[in-house]
Amino acid sequence: MLSALARTLPHFRNTNSGQFFLMAGPCVIEGEDMALRIAERIKHITDKLQIPYIFKGSYRKANRSRRDSFTGIGDEAALRILEKVGREIGVPTVTDIHESPEAAEAAQAVDVLQIPAFLCRQTDLLLAAAQTGKVVNIKKGQFLSGEAMQWAVDKVKSAGNEHVILTERGNSFGYSELVVDFRNLPIMRQFGVPVVMDVTHSLQQPNQASGITGGQPALIETIAKAAIAVGADGLFIETHPTPATALSDGANMLPLDQLEGLLQRLTRVREAVRPAGDVALHGLDA
């Protein structure tokens, strides 16, 4: 597999259109055929719209409320599928890691290592991800301000890795709601790294009595439009052909057949607000 710089950065650079980029895919890898079909479909859409695309899929879900919740098909099998998606569909891939020893193993299969929001302050985890040389996408904790994410960026860069992305995913509001403070996007952008809006996770309704997270998918377009309007470099959207049958986080995912129309509308918003000469991804140019 080619290095993160060789494979990933060309997809980030889109100086001709100044377009946002997209991280999208299922919440968790459910099987090879589904992953390939989803990736191929999104690649077709994003190629048509000239949107740089990174396939997203968790190889294991560690942060589940209930003991009997689906966590994955097995680490080795899921990582093999992610590697195959990258190779056969020809797109960069991203997956999340939860413990330091996972970094090196996952880095053999994907181009971007993602740090979950609730782990964004874990120094050892950040350093382990940084030391792989892969791009590191850090989700902002639901309990943190945008300003506080400077220290997470500094940890990754202290290991000699300059390739960092920050992702906003809302802040806890009470016990079972999240709200998005859109000030965090320009605040985090000041750190010289690309900033992404995690559209679907920001619409979760965690800590439900059933032990299964709820969501508000009807507001996906609202959050995405607002993020593009205030200058997000990228969007993170979990999508599935049939969210009702998804094995994880179906309550807040976008139906795959709605993605193209949404992206078409978002490209018009981006064009309307993009300053002349702007470049989509600041901070990752070699």
Side-chain angles (χ1 to χ4, degrees):
M1 177 172 289
L2 298 175
S3 69
L5 292 180
R7 291 192 69 233
T8 309
L9 292 184
H11 288 262
F12 285 156
R13 299 195 188 99
N14 196 8
T15 55
N16 291 329
S17 68
Q19 191 58 275
F20 61 88
F21 68 101
L22 177 69
M23 294 183 177
C27 176
V28 64
I29 298 298
E30 299 179 6
E32 180 177 302
D33 181 63
M34 178 176 287
L36 288 167
R37 284 191 291 112
I38 292 173
E40 185 175 32
R41 175 61 182 152
I42 300 176
K43 176 71 160 48
H44 174 76
I45 293 169
T46 53
D47 280 353
K48 184 163 56 173
L49 298 175
Q50 297 187 314
I51 296 172
Y53 171 50
I54 304 166
F55 175 81
K56 182 270 167 186
S58 296
Y59 76 95
R60 183 187 345 130
K61 301 301 294 185
N63 52 329
R64 303 291 86 187
S65 295
R66 286 170 39 165
R67 178 68 178 83
D68 60 352
S69 293
F70 179 77
T71 59
I73 61 173
D75 293 358
E76 184 177 349
L79 287 172
R80 188 172 63 249
I81 290 169
L82 282 162
E83 186 175 13
K84 187 170 184 177
V85 167
R87 183 176 65 252
E88 295 197 358
I89 307 301
V91 294
T93 53
V94 56
T95 199
D96 33 5
I97 58 173
H98 299 85
E99 298 183 71
S100 300
E102 297 175 27
E105 182 180 10
Q108 295 179 43
V110 301
D111 303 286
V112 183
L113 297 178
Q114 183 166 283
I115 309 300
F118 69 102
L119 296 175
C120 69
R121 297 181 73 248
Q122 298 297 101
T123 301
D124 289 348
L125 181 61
L126 289 166
L127 293 179
Q131 289 162 1
T132 67
K134 299 292 183 172
V135 177
V136 182
N137 179 32
I138 313 169
K139 289 194 175 182
K140 182 185 73 62
Q142 302 94 322
F143 44 85
L144 290 176
S145 66
E147 291 90 342
M149 293 304 292
Q150 173 71 67
W151 314 117
V153 173
D154 288 351
K155 288 175 183 179
V156 173
K157 291 187 174 183
S158 75
N161 189 335
E162 295 289 320
H163 306 295
V164 189
I165 300 171
L166 290 179
T167 295
E168 164 66 34
R169 53 98 73 236
N171 280 81
S172 296
F173 186 76
Y175 292 114
S176 58
E177 294 289 344
L178 295 166
V179 295
V180 178
D181 182 350
F182 285 98
R183 295 176 299 178
N184 285 325
L185 296 173
I187 287 170
M188 294 193 298
R189 219 166 179 251
Q190 293 174 7
F191 305 149
V193 301
V195 173
V196 172
M197 181 72 232
D198 183 343
V199 178
T200 47
H201 283 106
S202 71
L203 292 168
Q204 283 184 330
Q205 294 177 310
N207 306 317
Q208 300 297 303
S210 65
I212 299 174
T213 297
Q216 297 176 302
L219 294 175
I220 287 173
E221 185 161 342
T222 299
I223 297 295
K225 283 180 174 177
I228 295 300
V230 299
D233 296 299
L235 297 176
F236 180 107
I237 297 175
E238 288 189 338
T239 182
H240 192 281
T242 53
T245 65
L247 299 179
S248 178
D249 279 5
N252 53 271
M253 279 202 277
L254 179 74
L256 184 58
D257 64 4
Q258 295 180 20
L259 181 64
E260 183 169 2
L262 173 63
L263 292 177
Q264 288 173 340
R265 294 187 290 276
L266 293 176
T267 58
R268 291 196 290 271
V269 174
R270 174 63 175 148
E271 184 59 32
V273 302
R274 179 170 64 90
D278 191 28
V279 177
L281 280 173
H282 302 281
L284 279 186
D285 286 337

